[in-house]
Amino acid sequence: MNKHTCTDDPNPTQSVTPEQTAIERELVESVLASFANTPDPRLREVMESLVRHMHSFIREVRLTEGEWNTAIEFLTACGHITDDKRQEFILLSDVLGASMQTIAVNNQAYRGATEATVFGPFFVDHAPRIPLGGDIAGGAAGEPCWLEGTVTDTDGNPVPGARIEVWEADESGRYDVQYPDGRVAGRAHLFTDDAGAYRFWALTPTPYPIPHDGPVGKLLAAVNRSPMRASHLHFMVSADGLRTLVTHIFVAGDPQLAIGDCVFGVKDSLITDFERQAASSPTPDDRDLGARSWSRARFDIVLAPASVGR
Ligand code: BEZ
Ligand code: FE
């Protein structure tokens, strides 16, 4: 039998006989048909699309049985290392850009609303509340950084009482939850004042690697990719009637921005000037920082209406 390249196949790299193509297509159709009685139409839509794309992928790369085994072993290792503190599947989603694509689909641009970015695995519920002007460091090491800004809606109205959660790594690139001693540091929440303004002390963000001692780290090494993230500080901002925003600010001039962020989280609109302040220069709230240098940044946050999503 003559072999030919089947033009219906997605980007085929090998010749496949018409008989073989028919066998492969028949299998796809059988699997699709198995979802015909799914009561939930959305579940049916998602599963059918998943099957189409997965079979298309297997056929396009002509997946070997050895490669299939490697994939199963990889996913098994992701499961084994995952617990209530370590989520390897989210890391996998992050480094494949799947997290950012999901965020893009669900946070459509709307009239100047601040852009969203990846949530990451280090948010913790019940972080301490700080007053306006308070310090999120809680003993975490790093250069002090004064952050201030406003929260408004897309018509420019201030949003009083917006809840702002902030969290970040210390100067050695570790979040509090990555230490074994149960410390709570480098995270807090606060609320905007009557004019929708906020201000607090944090730490000047520094670049750090995502956890790369597991299967996702091995994958990055195998494809010659760095596990580094660009320096950033996380925000989650919520208020009644407005779309909750999960985002970061990135540090303008951070060399890692040019090298790349391993989870594709950087958006130009989130790159923020952090102005360096010499030791002994006066602070906005007269805090005495002794001989330490510090930095300051402004981040004005615009929330879309809650009704704006997909
Ligand atoms: C983070 O920024 O905290 C993060 C995001 C994605 C993966 C790992 C860490
Ligand atoms: Fe982070």
Side-chain angles (χ1 to χ4, degrees):
M1 179 59 59
N2 286 339
K3 290 193 170 182
H4 80 292
T5 300
C6 173
T7 50
D8 290 331
D9 284 338
N11 190 22
T13 54
Q14 291 185 17
S15 298
V16 176
T17 63
E19 289 80 358
Q20 176 65 21
T21 298
I23 289 167
E24 293 171 11
R25 284 194 190 143
E26 200 181 312
L27 176 59
V28 179
E29 292 308 321
S30 300
V31 181
L32 289 174
S34 75
F35 292 98
N37 296 328
T38 307
D40 178 342
R42 174 65 178 163
L43 179 60
R44 179 176 172 178
E45 178 189 3
V46 170
M47 291 310 298
E48 287 181 350
S49 180
L50 175 66
V51 165
R52 266 192 227 100
H53 285 275
M54 194 171 61
H55 283 253
S56 178
F57 156 72
I58 293 167
R59 296 174 66 207
E60 177 182 321
V61 302
R62 309 307 298 170
L63 192 73
T64 69
E65 287 168 302
E67 289 162 345
W68 181 90
N69 267 315
T70 302
I72 296 296
E73 281 163 18
F74 174 81
L75 292 173
T76 304
C78 288
H80 284 160
I81 203 171
T82 295
D83 59 19
D84 55 354
K85 290 222 163 70
R86 171 77 178 255
Q87 231 303 353
E88 199 73 359
F89 291 102
I90 295 183
L91 277 187
L92 178 60
S93 165
D94 293 340
V95 302
L96 295 179
S99 305
M100 281 305 291
Q101 194 66 274
T102 307
I103 289 162
V105 165
N106 287 280
N107 292 267
Q108 287 186 18
Y110 181 80
R111 294 183 56 214
T114 303
E115 290 190 281
T117 189
V118 65
F119 193 50
F122 296 124
F123 174 76
V124 170
D125 271 323
H126 312 301
R129 179 174 177 175
I130 55 164
L132 284 161
D135 191 348
I136 76 161
E143 182 190 66
C145 173
W146 175 257
L147 278 145
E148 62 192 338
T150 54
V151 179
T152 57
D153 65 18
T154 48
D155 291 324
N157 301 308
V159 183
R163 183 183 177 112
I164 303 178
E165 300 270 358
V166 281
W167 66 104
E168 66 174 327
D170 65 14
E171 68 180 0
S172 67
R174 277 193 284 177
Y175 285 81
D176 53 0
V177 291
Q178 294 177 286
Y179 290 93
D181 56 10
R183 72 184 71 178
V184 177
R187 67 178 71 247
H189 75 277
L190 68 160
F191 294 90
T192 52
D193 66 16
D194 290 346
Y198 72 86
R199 52 208 161 265
F200 61 91
W201 284 100
L203 304 172
T204 308
T206 51
Y208 68 86
I210 65 166
H212 59 110
D213 55 344
V216 170
K218 277 194 194 143
L219 172 64
L220 290 178
V223 297
N224 204 13
R225 272 177 58 183
S226 161
M228 293 302 289
R229 290 224 58 202
S231 312
H232 62 273
L233 182 140
H234 295 257
F235 280 77
M236 179 161 65
V237 187
S238 51
D240 285 348
L242 296 167
R243 185 169 77 185
T244 295
L245 172 70
V246 174
T247 195
H248 315 339
I249 48 174
F250 294 92
V251 181
D254 172 12
Q256 195 63 41
L257 286 173
I259 300 167
D261 179 56
C262 70
V263 298
F264 311 98
V266 178
K267 294 188 170 168
D268 288 351
S269 67
L270 301 175
I271 299 174
T272 306
D273 284 328
F274 281 68
E275 293 165 24
R276 316 293 317 173
Q277 310 291 319
S280 307
S281 53
T283 54
D285 59 352
D286 294 329
R287 180 179 178 188
D288 182 2
L289 291 172
R292 284 192 292 171
S293 63
W294 56 287
S295 68
R296 67 185 301 163
R298 180 171 188 93
F299 181 45
D300 292 325
I301 296 162
V302 181
L303 299 181
S307 53
V308 176
R310 309 181 66 199

